[in-house]
Amino acid sequence: MIDITYEINGRKVNPNSFGNAIEQAVLGQIADHIKKAVGSVRCPEHHQAPKIKVKGRNLDNLSFEVSGCCEKLIEKVTQKLK
């Protein structure tokens, strides 16, 4: 299972308790996009799932930070998220 976390303006946030309903919906859509794009990706060597941090100063300026067991997994996930 993919580990998706959110960091907005330097603070780790829970999408279910963040802002208003529209902001929560935006974070939910981001999670759905990530799951569709890389939900089944696992490292072929280590069989690990990636960890993805969605971060930015606000909801208008978000980026993905991918980590994982090896560079091969990170590169594969990064390409799929583009």
Side-chain angles (χ1 to χ4, degrees), residues 37-55:
V38 297
S40 62
V41 174
R42 299 288 179 272
C43 174
E45 185 177 337
H46 304 108
H47 310 288
Q48 299 291 314
K51 295 179 182 176
I52 301 172
K53 183 184 292 186
V54 180
K55 60 189 288 187

Side-chain angles (χ1 to χ4, degrees), residues 2-74:
I2 293 178
D3 180 19
I4 301 172
T5 57
Y6 299 88
E7 186 179 295
I8 307 296
N9 204 21
R11 294 180 309 144
K12 191 171 184 177
V13 297
N14 178 337
N16 296 326
S17 62
F18 180 75
N20 61 38
I22 293 172
E23 293 167 332
Q24 290 175 11
V26 169
L27 293 180
Q29 288 177 341
I30 291 169
D32 289 346
H33 167 73
I34 293 169
K35 289 174 186 174
K36 285 179 186 174
V38 297
S40 62
V41 174
R42 299 288 179 272
C43 174
E45 185 177 337
H46 304 108
H47 310 288
Q48 299 291 314
K51 295 179 182 176
I52 301 172
K53 183 184 292 186
V54 180
K55 60 189 288 187
R57 297 192 70 184
N58 54 48
L59 290 180
D60 296 328
N61 184 19
L62 296 175
S63 62
F64 300 122
E65 184 178 288
V66 180
S67 61
C69 58
C70 63
E71 193 61 36
K72 187 183 275 187
L73 174 65
I74 293 169

